[in-house]
Amino acid sequence: MQLKKIRCAVLGLGRQGFRHAENLAYRIPGAELSAVVDTVEERARKIAEDWGIPRWHTEADPIFSDPGIDAVIIATPSDTHPPLVIEAARHNKAIFVEKPLATNLNEADRIIEVVEQTGVFCQVGFMRRFDPAYAHAKERIRRGDIGRPVYFKGVTRDPAAPPEKYVRSSGGIFMDMCIHDFDIARFLMGSEVESVTAHGTVLVNRFMKTIGDIDQALVYLTFASGAAGDVEGYRSAGYGYDIRAEVVGTEGTLVIGSRRHHDVVLLNAKGEARDIVPGFLERFREAYLLEMVDFIRRIQSGQPPAVTVQDGKAALMIAQAATRSFREQKTVKVSEIHGIKN
Amino acid sequence: MQLKKIRCAVLGLGRQGFRHAENLAYRIPGAELSAVVDTVEERARKIAEDWGIPRWHTEADPIFSDPGIDAVIIATPSDTHPPLVIEAARHNKAIFVEKPLATNLNEADRIIEVVEQTGVFCQVGFMRRFDPAYAHAKERIRRGDIGRPVYFKGVTRDPAAPPEKYVRSSGGIFMDMCIHDFDIARFLMGSEVESVTAHGTVLVNRFMKTIGDIDQALVYLTFASGAAGDVEGYRSAGYGYDIRAEVVGTEGTLVIGSRRHHDVVLLNAKGEARDIVPGFLERFREAYLLEMVDFIRRIQSGQPPAVTVQDGKAALMIAQAATRSFREQKTVKVSEIHGIKN
Amino acid sequence: MQLKKIRCAVLGLGRQGFRHAENLAYRIPGAELSAVVDTVEERARKIAEDWGIPRWHTEADPIFSDPGIDAVIIATPSDTHPPLVIEAARHNKAIFVEKPLATNLNEADRIIEVVEQTGVFCQVGFMRRFDPAYAHAKERIRRGDIGRPVYFKGVTRDPAAPPEKYVRSSGGIFMDMCIHDFDIARFLMGSEVESVTAHGTVLVNRFMKTIGDIDQALVYLTFASGAAGDVEGYRSAGYGYDIRAEVVGTEGTLVIGSRRHHDVVLLNAKGEARDIVPGFLERFREAYLLEMVDFIRRIQSGQPPAVTVQDGKAALMIAQAATRSFREQKTVKVSEIHGIKN
Amino acid sequence: MQLKKIRCAVLGLGRQGFRHAENLAYRIPGAELSAVVDTVEERARKIAEDWGIPRWHTEADPIFSDPGIDAVIIATPSDTHPPLVIEAARHNKAIFVEKPLATNLNEADRIIEVVEQTGVFCQVGFMRRFDPAYAHAKERIRRGDIGRPVYFKGVTRDPAAPPEKYVRSSGGIFMDMCIHDFDIARFLMGSEVESVTAHGTVLVNRFMKTIGDIDQALVYLTFASGAAGDVEGYRSAGYGYDIRAEVVGTEGTLVIGSRRHHDVVLLNAKGEARDIVPGFLERFREAYLLEMVDFIRRIQSGQPPAVTVQDGKAALMIAQAATRSFREQKTVKVSEIHGIKN
């Protein structure tokens, strides 16, 4: 039996929104890209024309009020996530929202409240969970291949720091970069993070000092299960995009991920060489697709989202605890985060 | 500007045809899967219903006569390739035909004649050329990264021998298995194969002896450029699907491909372990998709096919020369193949 | 010209002392193993008899007073290092002393004082510096291959925790295990560690709780140069002996070391597998030999030691700072360590 | 109990003889280097003086007649092996002779006859058998880890062709280079080679054409057990020294060896790079030592040699069969080699 096509609208056509739109338009059984929205008119119009998308807009309202749209994919700047998610929920659209769910806890709580009241489907964009390597590792942990997970080790290294303007509004390295590691740590360890101690410094990007951010971070984590872990992040690795995770268990350890770009090795008088994956769109190309495939399938089949608003809030709380730990130079319990200004 | 959608029909819904159909239905910008054909009615009907394909048939004729079909993908048994290609060409359809183009040279010549007369677009299914590793290697050779290619080394090892029935009608190991290596050798070396000397034996599959086939082959190649090479094939590797190629050049050597299935390594008391890719659909999943993407794009833009009927014939001639070399236990020039019974 | 043979005595014939004795007896041009000493009479006698060593003793005094001994290798329990080094220095013997140089700073200072007064040759046993991988990495950093080093990453994972008795007298995980990483961090980064923040917990070895030790540690480091780093240690990895280091530089990153035991990969239906190096004697077999070769050569040629008592003290101070940081849950400057009880 | 020291003389102080002398002088428990011999007086004298070796000569006779010499290591040019081995055997010395045992079968047979008559210990220098990777692979095959071996795959690639003078007297690529693969194939497969078919050409070293040699070879092998195999050799790989072997079994496959020079990986904007082992002395450094350790131990303990004169003859016969196969362009049975002029 063929399932109903899910008619989608993508809001925000930056690098990630474009990728989602492309996947929905061309590569997802069961999806139909019905509309695209971007505040830059030219961008929305061009994509619509090039791909034959029926409609394009420069604002979200016509999408929400259109009964012909089943689902919205929100890939707009972080600070617009809460109002857009809430409005979409009120119009009963299925929702996919990029990370972070919100930039502060009050908004996250407000979103959760509305999602729970309306009962809409709302999935948060932690795409690493859909990467074949991470997903396979999760499956092996579930099968018991490594016994009880006792230590998590994460590394995220970007090839080059984003421009100052982006960094200023990014929420800082813990919120913008390490949040992926925080989510995947919860996912793989199967336990909540209890406390964080964050360290960091500016290694090469001096402008970050003036805006109170850092380009290198190390976070020590403790989990409710008694496990521990660490997350390293660096903005300026230079050599490419280097994402790793390791889960040490009582019966075995999983080492996840690869820097490899092509399965081609060059041997010459200089030695043995291979290309390194240059950026997140290449490294997580398949994850982005599988994430969207899963989103559509779950809507079609009435299943709950794989990554919930509660997951979005949990990662946000860890990132906030890390930010506070770094600023106050002390260990911070994640449970302390509620009730403080953030 | 949006290009015209290419309306496709897939003929033959076995493992490869199914894969092509799936890719055309869901993952190819610019393609539309308009019809599916299989002699097994149930198979054709089910796919059409499940995926919402407008039409299905148990024979090819209605497809050829339908002006609403722009392109046909022929994934039927090898011996049906020539009549189907010729009929499709006569009806002016763009054609994709799985390897081998034909099982004897007369038919291959007949196909080439018709394709040249009609001027239809006709691409042969050597998907390895579209695998990102092989394509990247080709690009590096083109850029001169390894100087002049002087030696080709190919390995194809299947996890397990096909059933006797399949082997009987396969044309033998050189035609069925090594033909991929022969094509990729021509592609990467940028030179025609001049002579082949084929060796082989039955290592484990005794039934092959009774039908005159072997499960292990080694072919030594010489190229018009003065280069040389070898191709190893084995039907029963047991451990998975192991496809490798190496191009030794005067300034460097490229090692292509990987057995890796997941980017996950398990460390435990038994050592360090990773999964091996189990079969060709997993190993060349991306190649099959990119091959079809390229097919559609070239039709849309009026470019000639990436893999021509002449390429199909060239690989066929090498495979026939290898078969003859093995049987007669002597070196065979590829140019001798014409004019002999094959 | 042949250099004078250095007549050596090995004190302490445990695993490391035995290894040093074996290397000196058989594998070092320029060395002669003249005597072995162990408090266990049987052990000393047996080695002397088996290998044809002229003399054996159950105490060190006869060695010190013997003018026929040029050099002593001290591989006795840690708390005996200071008196033995000092006595050897007073008798003008060249000295090799296993890490740690001492277990507290006062003793380390006393050793340094005596070594400076007597001018004897005294080398500390940080064998990692002699491992071909670490030495090659150091050379590449010296050549400028990675620009300025900005981040150090170290991992030390033992296959299984030592027995409780050993742990009790080990000085704790930072002093006993992480001290190697602290030394190699100084060595590779070319800068002194300024501050440490230590974290850790008991993941699986419950007995450690009762004796105030931990089996898992993570230390964040800052360097005088502005660089940073982290060191992870775990006592019970289970899968083998896993020692890694990484130096991130402004122009490149070096990843050092390997878990590989044999250059043999097994492919079968379970996947691809290789052996993991089981312990430190296997992992650093070559390093132990090269360390001793270097020790002998430097004595012969009148060069200063490659690893000085000052290096021994520096690593000790970092380990003590880490221990204090862990206990007091705060960042500790290494310079604060002097003047406090340790 | 301490075993009697074996007093050794090394004949021929080229690269391999020098390596053996160094190992015997400094790294072998139980060996004593008592004399060195080289036709170049300066070379022999310098080593003797530098290392404090009691005696040096420019000819072998004084060694043979000296009752103070227990064993001779013959590393002179290949054509001198037979007379030196025979003379040493007559004087009842234990013998180590580099490969090839002889350059023709009559001489090999003569050696075997004398060795059998005199009952002297005589070991042939196929050092690959002592390389830890090959030895470990052999052990796993013995344990049954891969079931029954059915296919052998060998590669030997040198970084650069030897000078013309060396090539002229080398016996050709099969005798000089592939002979190592022939020996290791017999060793790992546990079965004799029955037939060979040899192919080859000159890829880049034109001078070889004028002297009837080739720089690239491929040999197809069949074994008495029903197994098969191939051996590839190339003189001018350029990128380093690349030695590989693979044994495909009915229950698993072993991939043996590595190109890796250091366990250090450099990551930078050009990608991921590591050094390739430059030559045989680096690749087989440990094998050369372990081979000599084994030689000495077997003499001391009265065990037969690990690699016999019969092994030396067997490899020679395969190499001669390959040479003949290449020249006559047909498959040659190894058993045919006897009784023909070679």
Side-chain angles (χ1 to χ4, degrees):
Chain A
M1 188 209 65
Q2 203 201 358
L3 295 165
K4 176 184 176 299
K5 285 242 177 192
I6 304 300
R7 294 160 299 178
C8 301
V10 171
L11 280 59
L13 297 166
R15 286 197 295 179
Q16 291 203 350
F18 183 91
R19 173 60 53 102
H20 291 313
E22 215 180 5
N23 283 332
L24 289 165
Y26 296 121
R27 298 188 191 96
I28 318 262
E32 195 175 296
L33 183 57
S34 304
V36 289
V37 180
D38 199 282
T39 53
V40 180
E41 179 180 329
E42 185 48 30
R43 200 186 283 170
R45 175 160 48 194
K46 189 171 184 331
I47 288 174
E49 286 176 9
D50 284 358
W51 299 353
I53 308 304
R55 292 159 45 197
W56 59 268
H57 302 278
T58 55
E59 46 185 21
D61 286 349
I63 298 299
F64 294 140
S65 56
D66 181 349
I69 298 294
D70 303 310
V72 295
I73 288 81
I74 300 170
T76 52
S78 302
D79 55 354
T80 67
H81 293 177
L84 288 172
V85 171
I86 288 167
E87 199 60 20
R90 285 187 178 139
H91 286 87
N92 209 32
K93 307 296 183 197
I95 302 162
F96 177 93
V97 57
E98 270 302 331
K99 68 93 204 167
L101 177 62
T103 53
N104 68 56
L105 274 189
N106 291 337
E107 288 177 341
D109 284 337
R110 184 77 188 104
I111 288 175
I112 290 174
E113 193 185 9
V114 173
V115 166
E116 286 177 348
Q117 283 169 359
T118 56
V120 297
F121 180 104
C122 185
Q123 177 167 339
V124 179
F126 286 123
M127 81 292 180
R128 287 193 194 176
R129 297 190 182 201
F130 296 93
D131 175 72
Y134 285 93
H136 180 68
K138 177 67 180 176
E139 177 52 29
R140 297 189 81 155
I141 295 169
R142 263 199 199 112
R143 288 199 313 237
D145 285 6
I146 63 164
R148 180 168 51 90
V150 293
Y151 200 77
F152 174 83
K153 194 166 190 78
V155 170
T156 294
R157 295 192 192 145
D158 272 350
E164 181 169 343
K165 193 186 153 188
Y166 176 93
V167 174
R168 272 183 189 283
S169 66
S170 71
I173 195 167
F174 303 105
M175 191 71 85
D176 186 55
M177 187 183 213
C178 301
I179 198 168
H180 281 294
D181 295 276
F182 298 148
D183 177 66
I184 212 76
R186 292 179 64 239
F187 177 64
L188 291 174
M189 299 298 283
S191 176
E192 291 300 328
V193 172
E194 266 194 353
S195 76
V196 300
T197 326
H199 309 280
T201 188
V202 173
L203 292 181
V204 297
N205 299 284
R206 293 195 186 159
F207 76 85
M208 290 193 184
K209 281 191 183 165
T210 65
I211 60 179
D213 203 352
I214 51 179
D215 58 13
Q216 192 284 320
L218 181 79
V219 185
Y220 183 72
L221 308 171
T222 66
F223 294 84
S225 64
D230 71 81
V231 165
E232 182 219 302
Y234 183 39
R235 291 283 200 184
S236 295
Y239 58 80
Y241 187 62
D242 189 356
I243 307 296
R244 313 176 213 165
E246 219 166 308
V247 180
V248 179
T250 50
E251 309 297 328
T253 287
L254 293 172
V255 182
I256 306 160
S258 163
R259 283 182 294 269
R260 184 196 52 252
H261 191 30
H262 300 100
D263 274 327
V264 175
V265 177
L266 174 64
L267 314 175
N268 64 20
K270 288 179 196 159
E272 182 165 333
R274 55 164 72 239
D275 290 351
I276 297 175
V277 65
F280 71 95
L281 288 175
E282 292 84 1
R283 171 65 185 85
F284 289 111
R285 191 170 50 84
E286 198 161 1
Y288 282 114
L289 174 57
L290 294 171
E291 176 184 59
M292 212 39 63
V293 166
D294 180 80
F295 172 68
I296 295 296
R297 267 196 211 135
R298 285 171 182 270
I299 297 172
Q300 286 182 321
S301 61
Q303 288 177 278
V307 192
T308 65
V309 286
Q310 283 77 12
D311 289 321
K313 179 184 170 186
L316 180 65
M317 285 178 73
I318 304 169
Q320 290 204 333
T323 307
R324 193 174 157 208
S325 167
F326 174 70
R327 287 192 187 139
E328 303 183 6
Q329 299 199 43
K330 62 172 193 183
T331 299
V332 172
K333 291 199 174 165
V334 176
S335 62
E336 289 172 29
I337 286 302
H338 254 295
I340 63 162
K341 185 184 161 295
N342 43 63
Chain B
M1 187 210 67
Q2 205 203 354
L3 294 165
K4 177 186 177 295
K5 285 242 177 190
I6 304 301
R7 295 160 300 178
C8 301
V10 172
L11 280 59
L13 296 167
R15 285 195 297 176
Q16 291 203 350
F18 183 91
R19 173 60 53 102
H20 291 315
E22 213 180 8
N23 282 332
L24 289 164
Y26 296 122
R27 298 188 190 98
I28 318 263
E32 198 175 294
L33 183 57
S34 305
V36 288
V37 178
D38 199 282
T39 52
V40 179
E41 178 178 331
E42 186 49 29
R43 201 186 284 169
R45 177 164 45 197
K46 187 169 188 329
I47 288 175
E49 285 176 8
D50 284 357
W51 299 353
I53 308 304
R55 291 160 44 196
W56 60 268
H57 303 279
T58 55
E59 46 186 21
D61 286 350
I63 297 300
F64 294 140
S65 57
D66 182 347
I69 298 294
D70 302 310
V72 295
I73 288 80
I74 299 169
T76 51
S78 302
D79 55 355
T80 66
H81 293 178
L84 289 172
V85 170
I86 288 168
E87 199 60 20
R90 286 188 178 138
H91 286 86
N92 210 30
K93 307 298 182 196
I95 302 162
F96 177 93
V97 56
E98 270 302 332
K99 68 92 201 168
L101 177 62
T103 52
N104 68 57
L105 274 189
N106 291 338
E107 288 176 341
D109 285 337
R110 183 78 189 104
I111 288 175
I112 290 176
E113 193 185 9
V114 174
V115 167
E116 286 178 350
Q117 282 168 359
T118 56
V120 297
F121 181 104
C122 185
Q123 178 167 338
V124 180
F126 286 123
M127 81 295 181
R128 287 193 194 176
R129 297 190 182 200
F130 297 93
D131 176 71
Y134 286 92
H136 180 68
K138 177 67 178 175
E139 177 53 27
R140 297 189 81 156
I141 295 168
R142 263 198 199 114
R143 287 197 316 236
D145 286 7
I146 62 164
R148 180 167 50 91
V150 292
Y151 200 78
F152 173 83
K153 195 168 189 77
V155 170
T156 293
R157 295 194 192 143
D158 271 350
E164 181 169 343
K165 191 187 156 190
Y166 176 92
V167 174
R168 272 183 189 282
S169 66
S170 70
I173 195 168
F174 303 105
M175 191 73 84
D176 186 56
M177 187 184 212
C178 301
I179 199 167
H180 282 294
D181 294 276
F182 298 147
D183 177 66
I184 212 75
R186 292 178 65 238
F187 177 65
L188 292 175
M189 299 297 283
S191 177
E192 292 300 328
V193 171
E194 266 194 354
S195 75
V196 301
T197 325
H199 310 281
T201 188
V202 172
L203 292 181
V204 298
N205 299 284
R206 293 192 186 161
F207 77 85
M208 291 194 184
K209 283 191 183 164
T210 65
I211 59 179
D213 203 353
I214 51 179
D215 58 12
Q216 192 284 320
L218 181 78
V219 185
Y220 184 72
L221 309 170
T222 66
F223 294 84
S225 64
D230 71 81
V231 164
E232 182 218 302
Y234 183 40
R235 290 283 199 185
S236 295
Y239 58 80
Y241 187 63
D242 189 356
I243 307 297
R244 314 176 211 166
E246 219 166 308
V247 180
V248 179
T250 50
E251 308 297 328
T253 287
L254 292 172
V255 182
I256 306 161
S258 163
R259 283 182 294 268
R260 184 196 52 253
H261 191 32
H262 299 100
D263 274 327
V264 175
V265 177
L266 173 65
L267 314 175
N268 64 20
K270 288 179 197 159
E272 183 165 333
R274 54 164 73 238
D275 290 351
I276 297 175
V277 65
F280 71 93
L281 288 175
E282 292 86 358
R283 171 64 185 85
F284 289 113
R285 191 171 50 83
E286 199 162 0
Y288 282 115
L289 174 58
L290 294 171
E291 176 185 58
M292 213 37 65
V293 166
D294 180 80
F295 172 67
I296 295 296
R297 266 196 211 134
R298 284 172 182 268
I299 298 172
Q300 287 181 320
S301 61
Q303 288 177 279
V307 192
T308 64
V309 285
Q310 283 77 14
D311 289 321
K313 178 184 171 187
L316 179 65
M317 285 178 74
I318 303 169
Q320 289 203 331
T323 306
R324 193 173 157 210
S325 166
F326 174 69
R327 288 193 188 141
E328 304 184 6
Q329 299 198 46
K330 62 173 192 181
T331 299
V332 172
K333 291 199 175 165
V334 176
S335 61
E336 291 172 28
I337 286 302
H338 254 294
I340 62 162
K341 186 183 161 293
N342 42 64
Chain C
M1 189 209 63
Q2 204 202 355
L3 294 165
K4 177 183 175 298
K5 283 242 176 191
I6 305 300
R7 295 161 301 179
C8 301
V10 171
L11 281 60
L13 297 167
R15 285 195 298 177
Q16 292 203 349
F18 184 90
R19 174 59 55 101
H20 291 314
E22 214 178 9
N23 283 332
L24 289 164
Y26 296 121
R27 297 189 192 97
I28 318 263
E32 196 176 294
L33 183 57
S34 305
V36 289
V37 179
D38 199 282
T39 52
V40 180
E41 180 180 328
E42 186 47 30
R43 202 186 284 171
R45 177 161 47 196
K46 188 168 185 334
I47 288 175
E49 286 176 7
D50 285 357
W51 299 353
I53 308 303
R55 291 160 45 197
W56 59 268
H57 303 279
T58 56
E59 47 185 21
D61 286 349
I63 298 299
F64 294 141
S65 56
D66 181 348
I69 298 293
D70 302 312
V72 296
I73 288 81
I74 299 170
T76 53
S78 302
D79 54 355
T80 66
H81 292 178
L84 289 173
V85 171
I86 287 168
E87 198 61 17
R90 285 188 178 141
H91 286 85
N92 209 32
K93 308 296 185 199
I95 301 162
F96 178 93
V97 57
E98 269 303 332
K99 69 91 202 168
L101 177 61
T103 53
N104 69 55
L105 274 189
N106 291 338
E107 287 176 341
D109 284 338
R110 183 79 187 103
I111 288 175
I112 291 175
E113 193 184 9
V114 174
V115 166
E116 285 177 350
Q117 282 169 359
T118 57
V120 298
F121 180 104
C122 185
Q123 177 167 337
V124 179
F126 286 124
M127 81 293 181
R128 285 192 195 178
R129 295 190 184 202
F130 296 94
D131 176 70
Y134 285 93
H136 180 69
K138 176 68 178 176
E139 176 54 27
R140 298 190 80 155
I141 295 169
R142 264 199 198 112
R143 289 198 314 237
D145 285 7
I146 62 164
R148 180 167 51 91
V150 293
Y151 200 78
F152 174 83
K153 196 167 189 77
V155 169
T156 294
R157 295 193 192 144
D158 272 350
E164 181 168 344
K165 191 186 157 190
Y166 176 93
V167 174
R168 272 183 188 283
S169 67
S170 71
I173 195 167
F174 303 105
M175 190 73 82
D176 186 57
M177 186 182 214
C178 302
I179 198 168
H180 281 294
D181 295 277
F182 298 148
D183 177 66
I184 212 75
R186 291 179 64 239
F187 176 66
L188 292 175
M189 299 297 283
S191 176
E192 292 300 328
V193 172
E194 265 193 356
S195 75
V196 300
T197 326
H199 310 280
T201 188
V202 172
L203 292 181
V204 297
N205 299 284
R206 293 194 187 161
F207 77 85
M208 291 194 185
K209 281 191 183 164
T210 65
I211 60 177
D213 203 352
I214 51 179
D215 58 12
Q216 192 284 319
L218 181 78
V219 185
Y220 183 72
L221 308 170
T222 67
F223 294 84
S225 64
D230 71 80
V231 165
E232 182 219 301
Y234 183 39
R235 291 283 200 185
S236 296
Y239 57 80
Y241 187 62
D242 189 356
I243 307 296
R244 313 176 213 167
E246 219 165 309
V247 180
V248 179
T250 50
E251 307 299 327
T253 287
L254 293 172
V255 181
I256 306 161
S258 164
R259 282 181 295 267
R260 186 195 50 252
H261 191 30
H262 300 99
D263 274 326
V264 175
V265 177
L266 173 65
L267 314 175
N268 64 21
K270 288 178 196 160
E272 181 165 334
R274 55 164 72 240
D275 290 351
I276 297 175
V277 65
F280 71 94
L281 288 175
E282 292 85 0
R283 171 65 185 83
F284 289 112
R285 190 170 52 82
E286 199 161 1
Y288 282 114
L289 174 58
L290 295 172
E291 177 185 58
M292 213 38 64
V293 166
D294 180 81
F295 172 66
I296 295 296
R297 266 195 211 138
R298 285 173 181 268
I299 297 172
Q300 287 182 319
S301 60
Q303 288 177 280
V307 192
T308 64
V309 286
Q310 283 77 13
D311 289 321
K313 179 184 169 185
L316 179 65
M317 285 178 72
I318 303 169
Q320 289 203 334
T323 307
R324 193 173 157 209
S325 167
F326 174 69
R327 287 192 188 139
E328 303 184 5
Q329 298 198 44
K330 62 173 192 182
T331 299
V332 172
K333 290 198 174 166
V334 176
S335 62
E336 290 172 27
I337 287 301
H338 255 293
I340 63 161
K341 185 182 161 296
N342 43 65
Chain D
M1 188 209 61
Q2 204 201 356
L3 295 166
K4 175 183 175 300
K5 284 241 176 191
I6 305 300
R7 294 160 303 179
C8 301
V10 171
L11 280 59
L13 296 167
R15 285 196 298 178
Q16 290 202 350
F18 184 91
R19 174 60 54 101
H20 291 314
E22 213 179 7
N23 283 332
L24 289 165
Y26 296 123
R27 298 190 190 95
I28 319 264
E32 196 174 293
L33 183 57
S34 304
V36 289
V37 179
D38 200 283
T39 52
V40 180
E41 178 179 329
E42 186 49 29
R43 203 187 282 170
R45 177 162 47 196
K46 189 170 184 333
I47 288 175
E49 285 176 8
D50 284 359
W51 298 354
I53 308 304
R55 292 159 45 197
W56 59 267
H57 303 278
T58 56
E59 45 186 21
D61 288 348
I63 298 300
F64 293 141
S65 56
D66 181 349
I69 297 295
D70 303 312
V72 295
I73 287 81
I74 299 170
T76 53
S78 301
D79 54 356
T80 67
H81 292 177
L84 289 172
V85 170
I86 288 167
E87 198 61 20
R90 286 187 178 138
H91 286 85
N92 209 31
K93 307 298 184 198
I95 302 162
F96 177 93
V97 56
E98 269 303 331
K99 68 94 201 165
L101 175 61
T103 53
N104 68 56
L105 273 189
N106 291 338
E107 288 176 343
D109 284 336
R110 182 79 188 102
I111 288 175
I112 290 176
E113 192 185 9
V114 174
V115 166
E116 285 177 350
Q117 282 168 358
T118 57
V120 298
F121 181 104
C122 184
Q123 177 168 337
V124 180
F126 286 123
M127 81 293 180
R128 285 192 195 176
R129 296 190 183 201
F130 296 93
D131 176 71
Y134 285 93
H136 180 68
K138 176 67 179 175
E139 177 53 28
R140 298 190 81 156
I141 294 170
R142 264 199 198 112
R143 287 197 316 236
D145 285 7
I146 63 165
R148 179 166 53 90
V150 293
Y151 200 78
F152 173 83
K153 196 169 189 74
V155 170
T156 294
R157 295 193 192 145
D158 273 349
E164 181 169 343
K165 192 186 154 190
Y166 176 93
V167 174
R168 272 183 188 282
S169 66
S170 70
I173 194 167
F174 303 105
M175 190 73 85
D176 186 55
M177 186 182 213
C178 302
I179 198 168
H180 281 295
D181 295 276
F182 297 148
D183 177 66
I184 211 75
R186 291 179 65 240
F187 177 64
L188 292 175
M189 299 297 283
S191 177
E192 293 299 328
V193 172
E194 266 194 353
S195 76
V196 300
T197 325
H199 309 280
T201 189
V202 172
L203 292 181
V204 298
N205 299 283
R206 294 194 185 160
F207 76 85
M208 290 194 184
K209 282 190 182 166
T210 66
I211 59 178
D213 203 354
I214 51 179
D215 58 12
Q216 192 284 320
L218 181 78
V219 185
Y220 183 72
L221 308 171
T222 65
F223 294 85
S225 64
D230 72 81
V231 164
E232 182 218 303
Y234 183 38
R235 291 283 199 184
S236 296
Y239 57 80
Y241 187 62
D242 189 355
I243 306 296
R244 314 177 211 165
E246 219 166 307
V247 180
V248 179
T250 50
E251 308 297 327
T253 288
L254 293 172
V255 182
I256 305 161
S258 164
R259 283 181 296 267
R260 183 195 54 250
H261 191 31
H262 300 99
D263 274 326
V264 175
V265 177
L266 173 65
L267 314 175
N268 64 21
K270 288 178 197 159
E272 183 166 334
R274 53 164 73 238
D275 290 350
I276 297 175
V277 65
F280 71 95
L281 288 175
E282 292 84 1
R283 171 64 185 85
F284 289 112
R285 192 170 51 83
E286 199 162 0
Y288 282 115
L289 174 58
L290 295 172
E291 177 185 56
M292 213 38 62
V293 166
D294 180 79
F295 172 67
I296 295 296
R297 265 196 211 137
R298 285 171 181 269
I299 298 172
Q300 285 182 321
S301 61
Q303 289 177 277
V307 192
T308 65
V309 285
Q310 283 76 12
D311 289 321
K313 178 184 169 186
L316 180 64
M317 285 178 73
I318 304 170
Q320 289 202 333
T323 306
R324 193 173 157 211
S325 166
F326 174 69
R327 288 193 188 139
E328 303 184 4
Q329 298 198 47
K330 61 173 192 184
T331 299
V332 173
K333 290 198 174 167
V334 176
S335 61
E336 291 171 28
I337 286 302
H338 254 295
I340 63 161
K341 187 182 159 296
N342 42 66

